[in-house]
Amino acid sequence: MKTYLVGGAVRDKLLHRPVTEHDWVVVGSSPEQMEQLGFTAVGKDFPVFLHPDTKEEYALARTERKTGHGYGGFSFYCGQEVTLEDDLIRRDLTVNAMAQDEHGQIIDPYNGQQDLADKLLRHVSPAFAEDPVRILRIARFAARYHHLGFRVADETIALMRAMVTNGEVDHLVAERVWKETERALGEPNPEIFIEVLRACDALARLFPEIDALFGVPQTAVHHPEIDTGIHTLMSLQQAVKLGANSCIRFATLLHDLGKATTPHEEWPRHIAHEARSLPLIKQLCARIAAPKDYKELALLTAQWHTHCHRALELKPTTLLKVLQATDAFRRPERFEQFLVCCEADARGRTGFESRDYPQADFFRQCLLAAKQIDIAAVQTLGLTGQAFGEALDRQRVQQITALKNARDNAPGSSH
């Protein structure tokens, strides 16, 4: 019985990156022997055990055989004669198919160290094509390591494209698509996840609403980058620079979906694209099982982002309307997320990447001003129901009007 550290822990050690998880492979053992040693069995599909002290995962070396479509279409064999090399060859990328023994020696039968040096994400064997989840995983790894100079090998992109062509990608289940997408959104360069999926034609199958944005023109005066798909990825980059979480990044990614449905004769203008984005967001979120909070922020951003961009021009009544429509009074944290989405959108344009976005601060000030009303004084009027709400709104508008007038009349203001 021999035990080896495998996978991401070995890869990240060689890259001098923090190691967050340790996965182990056990060669020459059996489920009975593992349990006798105090390990706890937890694997559903194949023997995986938790170490009695560290609780890290130890899996018996195994081979696998394709038996059907999709992630679950495999049968596994974990006999004691299965070698470490047999186990490693079933893995996705060469950089993930290395092991380290108890003496620190690297076992690298498939040239993972060379691919690390060459900054290549390359599949280990043709068996890669048997698992469609790997399309998403490789795109996610590309998003993680892009800033280090890594790229997906041309032959791996070609294999991923073949998986799309032969329909293997169509067997991905919603939960796996969402899990990998959410993880990719949290990587340093989530836009690369989208670019890799597009390069292998998987974007059109998995996220057709996003894929349709590429090639759709916008007015050059507002969008020097022209292409709506490029603008979307630039906005996603800006969301990362603003320190946005995955929920904000997701909403930023979907904020302009309606532009893909603009009639060609109306290009490059996109009147009412905000409203046309909403059903597209709903269908995308339903298809990939996106959580409710992700969907809600995406819908708010799509519907109201242009109002936010025009905040300094809006009437006080319209400013209040946006605050109420985005539920800013009851959910100020989510409103703050909305403002970050809008700033990422505004900066996601060629030449605008470092430009200030005073609209967000002005909306924050409007929310604060609208909260500074004398509710007790309104209550003394004896109003109830709709009449009471209207009286509160009048006070809120007065507060916002005073704020706007002070801003517009300030020295140096262009308003």
Side-chain angles (χ1 to χ4, degrees):
M1 171 179 167
K2 291 186 177 181
T3 301
Y4 301 88
L5 183 66
V6 295
V10 179
R11 176 198 68 227
D12 286 342
K13 277 187 175 183
L14 293 173
L15 286 173
H16 306 291
R17 289 172 55 88
V19 175
T20 57
E21 291 183 337
H22 294 83
D23 292 314
W24 306 84
V25 160
V26 181
V27 177
S29 186
S30 65
E32 295 76 19
Q33 183 179 8
M34 296 295 288
E35 291 181 355
Q36 289 171 4
L37 293 172
F39 286 79
T40 303
V42 294
K44 294 180 180 179
D45 300 317
F46 48 84
V48 178
F49 302 84
L50 296 184
H51 190 281
D53 298 321
T54 67
K55 305 304 178 184
E56 292 175 342
E57 288 192 356
Y58 286 66
L60 294 184
R62 67 185 186 269
T63 59
E64 59 187 31
R65 183 170 62 87
K66 184 74 169 173
T67 59
H69 292 292
Y71 173 74
F74 295 91
S75 63
F76 300 94
Y77 176 69
C78 303
Q80 291 181 316
E81 71 275 19
V82 176
T83 67
L84 176 64
E85 289 75 16
D86 291 336
D87 183 273
L88 293 177
I89 199 171
R90 68 176 178 78
R91 295 174 182 268
D92 50 9
L93 297 173
T94 60
V95 298
N96 295 333
M98 297 179 286
Q100 180 178 303
D101 65 17
E102 68 272 21
H103 304 297
Q105 183 71 32
I106 300 297
I107 297 93
D108 180 19
Y110 307 110
N111 300 314
Q113 291 179 94
Q114 185 60 54
D115 283 343
L116 279 183
D118 295 339
K119 300 186 184 302
L120 273 183
L121 301 173
R122 182 170 58 84
H123 63 283
V124 178
S125 76
F128 175 99
E130 297 176 350
D131 184 358
V133 174
R134 288 176 169 177
I135 292 175
L136 293 165
R137 279 174 52 83
I138 273 52
R140 174 166 61 82
F141 279 125
R144 177 182 299 177
Y145 296 115
H146 175 76
H147 70 289
L148 298 179
F150 278 78
R151 66 177 181 87
V152 183
D154 293 340
E155 61 267 33
T156 301
I157 288 288
L159 187 56
M160 292 161 66
R161 187 177 295 119
M163 295 167 69
V164 174
T165 301
N166 66 24
E168 185 65 34
V169 72
D170 299 326
H171 295 279
L172 281 167
V173 297
E175 291 73 18
R176 291 310 300 255
V177 174
W178 173 250
K179 180 179 179 181
E180 293 297 329
T181 300
E182 183 180 28
R183 294 180 69 180
L185 287 169
E187 300 292 1
N189 290 94
E191 75 281 358
I192 299 300
F193 176 74
I194 300 298
E195 289 185 2
V196 171
L197 292 181
R198 186 165 179 254
C200 70
D201 301 329
L203 189 65
R205 296 286 187 91
L206 300 174
F207 302 100
E209 300 88 352
I210 298 173
D211 186 70
L213 294 173
F214 290 91
V216 175
Q218 303 166 108
T219 54
V221 64
H222 297 299
H223 286 277
E225 72 286 348
I226 306 295
D227 190 288
T228 305
I230 294 174
H231 160 62
T232 296
L233 298 190
M234 292 179 68
S235 298
L236 187 54
Q237 291 173 346
Q238 291 299 316
V240 174
K241 291 181 180 179
L242 291 168
N245 62 23
S246 294
C247 188
I248 295 172
R249 297 182 190 190
F250 182 71
T252 302
L253 179 63
L254 305 189
H255 79 279
D256 266 350
L257 293 186
K259 288 183 178 179
T261 64
T262 301
H264 292 195
E265 59 270 20
E266 295 182 14
W267 286 357
R269 302 182 68 200
H270 295 278
I271 298 172
H273 75 276
E274 301 88 350
R276 286 185 278 108
S277 293
L278 305 184
L280 298 174
I281 291 172
K282 291 176 182 177
Q283 74 179 26
L284 185 152
C285 289
R287 189 176 62 251
I288 67 172
K292 181 180 179 181
D293 56 334
Y294 280 71
K295 181 178 76 171
E296 288 180 346
L297 182 61
L299 289 170
L300 284 180
T301 302
Q303 186 168 6
W304 298 105
H305 66 278
T306 49
H307 278 73
C308 189
H309 297 335
R310 297 175 52 237
L312 306 181
E313 311 160 23
L314 298 179
K315 297 183 297 184
T317 52
T318 306
L319 290 165
L320 177 60
K321 174 185 174 182
V322 175
L323 292 174
Q324 292 174 327
T326 54
D327 206 9
F329 293 100
R330 294 193 310 163
R331 303 186 62 179
E333 299 85 2
R334 190 180 66 181
F335 184 67
E336 182 61 33
Q337 292 181 323
F338 162 76
L339 294 178
V340 175
C341 290
C342 295
E343 183 167 358
D345 174 32
R347 289 186 173 187
R349 300 176 291 163
T350 301
F352 291 78
E353 294 88 346
S354 300
R355 183 167 296 191
D356 289 337
Y357 189 66
Q359 296 93 323
D361 279 336
F362 182 60
F363 249 124
R364 293 183 183 103
Q365 295 166 6
C366 287
L367 177 59
L368 184 61
K371 288 181 176 180
Q372 308 302 313
I373 59 175
D374 191 348
I375 296 179
V378 179
Q379 290 173 331
T380 62
L381 300 176
L383 302 173
T384 60
Q386 182 177 344
F388 180 76
E390 291 173 350
L392 289 180
D393 285 349
R394 285 193 292 273
Q395 282 208 11
R396 288 168 174 156
V397 169
Q398 289 174 6
Q399 293 288 100
I400 294 173
T401 299
L403 172 68
K404 183 173 175 59
N405 288 340
R407 184 187 188 284
D408 292 349
N409 295 325
S413 173
S414 59
H415 297 274

